[in-house]
Amino acid sequence: MQLLEVEVRNWRGLTTKFQGLSPRLNLVLGANESGKSRVFQALRYGLFESYKGAALHKQLLQSWTSSEPPFVRIAFADGTNQYEIEKQYLKGASARLTGGGTTLTGEDAEESLRKLLGARQGNSRGADLADLGI
């Protein structure tokens, strides 16, 4: 899988977009508390965590400075097909997967993404390493 773009909005106070990612190596640099870990957390949630539910680990994603819900969009390529997953957590929770000639929403999007990644559904506390398909 190759990451093409990553966009996060209202993710623990972070709103940013990475475009034109290299197919080989990308480096994320920044001062302490600049958002590096939040970007990686958004990638993990976008790819492996269910959009549903309001468990504490999801409530902690909410920005203190905005009432807008946390959102992540990840564009990626798997071989010759390009996909885009969008997930919104908490208020108005949703998931949408586009690519491969189809658009899926909700649990259908989640299940298709898990199949693409070789992952499995996490439990109510979230996905752990055994669920990630690594």
Side-chain angles (χ1 to χ4, degrees):
M1 178 178 86
Q2 176 189 347
L3 290 178
L4 303 172
E5 281 185 26
V6 178
E7 176 184 4
V8 295
R9 292 194 306 253
N10 307 305
W11 198 276
R12 292 178 40 215
L14 180 68
T15 295
T16 192
K17 188 177 196 177
F18 294 92
Q19 296 176 290
L21 297 175
S22 169
R24 295 178 46 111
L25 178 67
N26 294 281
L27 186 62
V28 179
L29 297 171
N32 289 346
E33 301 298 321
S34 63
K36 301 178 300 289
S37 294
R38 288 178 279 174
V39 169
F40 286 104
Q41 181 188 47
L43 276 169
R44 182 177 177 273
Y45 270 67
L47 294 172
F48 302 110
E49 293 286 343
S50 172
Y51 69 97
K52 294 188 285 185
L56 179 60
H57 69 278
K58 291 180 183 169
Q59 291 177 28
L60 293 173
L61 303 175
Q62 183 67 53
S63 174
W64 291 358
T65 59
S66 173
S67 63
E68 294 298 314
F71 171 86
V72 61
R73 182 182 63 81
I74 303 167
F76 63 96
D78 182 26
T80 58
N81 293 318
Q82 290 190 7
Y83 298 91
E84 185 173 287
I85 183 70
E86 294 180 359
K87 290 187 184 179
Q88 183 165 300
Y89 293 89
L90 304 174
K91 183 174 72 176
S94 63
R96 184 176 78 172
L97 178 67
T98 57
T102 63
T103 297
L104 301 170
T105 59
E107 192 54 41
D108 292 335
E110 295 270 45
E111 181 62 29
S112 183
L113 179 63
R114 283 192 294 269
K115 285 181 183 177
L116 281 169
L117 299 175
R120 63 180 183 218
Q121 185 170 3
N123 60 34
S124 62
R125 293 183 179 173
D128 61 24
L129 287 178
D131 301 320
L132 305 185
I134 298 173

